[in-house]
Amino acid sequence: MSDLISIEYGGKTLRRDSAYTKGSCTLLLVDMQRIWAEPMMDPTHPMPADSYFMQRVHEVVIPNQVKILNAFRKADENVCHTIIESLTADGRDRSLDHKLSAMHVPKGAPEGAIIAPLTPTENEPVLPKTSSGLFNSTNADYVLRNLNTRFLIIAGIVTDQCVDMAVRDAADRGYLVTVVKDACATYTPERHEAALRAYGGYCWITDTDTVLARLAALGG
């Protein structure tokens, strides 16, 4: 699949890198929680502060996400946050895969909170999911359509797991997906690049500066 193909859809000419339109953009920040983004908190992948992953998250990903988040707020476009969090304290509602992976963030647990630099406002929905797939275990599609979302701009962790599933599932549901490559991370640079190559046919892959320029062009 190529992002250079143009089609007529809903009376408009669309391609994967079509210019954003006012009132139809949503930023989706994936799983930017303390448990995954702070050193040695993730029991399944404990990462020290000097690991590649933590350095990328704190030196590249979070600063870029803050820039994008501020730009979305300034442009008065929508922002949604996803988190991994069980609906129960004991996690019995989790997906089988999360149970087999020993992945459990109890409802309301402090380690499950979104990191401080990205704290949601009262008008930014937070969607708790109990599987890797946002669209499988939340009402995300319903929420995004109610927000008039055409362009879904995705950033988060990790590139080749929960971000991957959000990209593919959103594309299947008819959203024009943007992945901000320098606002995502996974455990090695090789995995990051391989993931972008693997799902590049489902989205437009670009960088923070390009997204910021597009948002600035919308005004706000």
Side-chain angles (χ1 to χ4, degrees):
M1 289 184 287
S2 170
D3 63 4
L4 299 179
I5 296 173
S6 298
I7 65 166
E8 295 300 315
Y9 186 91
K12 297 181 179 180
T13 301
L14 295 179
R15 44 192 269 167
R16 296 189 196 282
D17 62 349
S18 288
Y20 300 157
T21 56
K22 186 72 176 174
S24 63
C25 302
T26 298
L27 172 63
L28 180 67
L29 293 174
V30 177
D31 301 349
M32 296 303 299
Q33 300 163 260
R34 293 184 60 218
I35 188 170
W36 320 124
E38 293 185 6
M40 302 306 292
M41 286 197 70
D42 179 359
T44 59
H45 294 90
M47 294 284 176
D50 62 354
S51 64
Y52 160 79
F53 178 71
M54 283 297 162
Q55 288 183 340
R56 178 173 173 85
V57 166
H58 288 271
E59 296 174 10
V60 179
V61 171
I62 294 174
N64 283 338
Q65 288 186 3
V66 168
K67 292 177 186 176
I68 297 168
L69 178 59
N70 289 337
F72 264 81
R73 290 170 175 170
K74 181 178 180 181
D76 199 26
E77 296 294 315
N78 287 299
V79 177
C80 288
H81 305 255
T82 76
I83 59 172
I84 295 175
E85 182 183 72
S86 298
L87 302 174
T88 56
D90 62 9
R92 64 185 184 278
D93 61 293
R94 290 171 295 161
S95 68
L96 177 59
D97 177 69
H98 276 201
K99 290 173 180 174
L100 292 171
S101 302
M103 186 177 294
H104 174 41
V105 182
K107 182 178 176 62
E111 65 269 24
I114 293 170
I115 59 173
L118 303 172
T119 299
T121 69
E122 61 183 4
N123 277 328
E124 294 173 359
V126 178
L127 302 169
K129 58 192 173 82
T130 51
S131 70
S132 294
L134 169 67
F135 291 91
N136 292 332
S137 56
T138 76
N139 63 343
D141 191 43
Y142 174 82
V143 171
L144 291 171
R145 293 190 190 282
N146 285 346
L147 295 174
N148 194 42
T149 305
R150 164 59 69 192
F151 299 92
L152 187 63
I153 294 84
I154 299 178
I157 51 180
V158 293
T159 316
D160 54 350
Q161 294 179 16
C162 292
V163 171
D164 183 330
M165 294 194 70
V167 170
R168 296 172 190 264
D169 289 346
D172 275 354
R173 285 163 172 80
Y175 299 98
L176 288 173
V177 180
T178 299
V179 173
V180 192
K181 61 185 178 181
D182 55 356
C184 298
T186 188
Y187 303 114
T188 68
E190 293 79 14
R191 285 178 56 169
H192 178 75
E193 294 300 327
L196 296 177
R197 289 194 300 271
Y199 56 68
Y202 295 87
C203 60
W204 176 46
I205 297 174
T206 189
D207 57 24
T208 296
D209 287 343
T210 303
V211 170
L212 294 178
R214 286 201 165 192
L215 288 168
L218 296 179

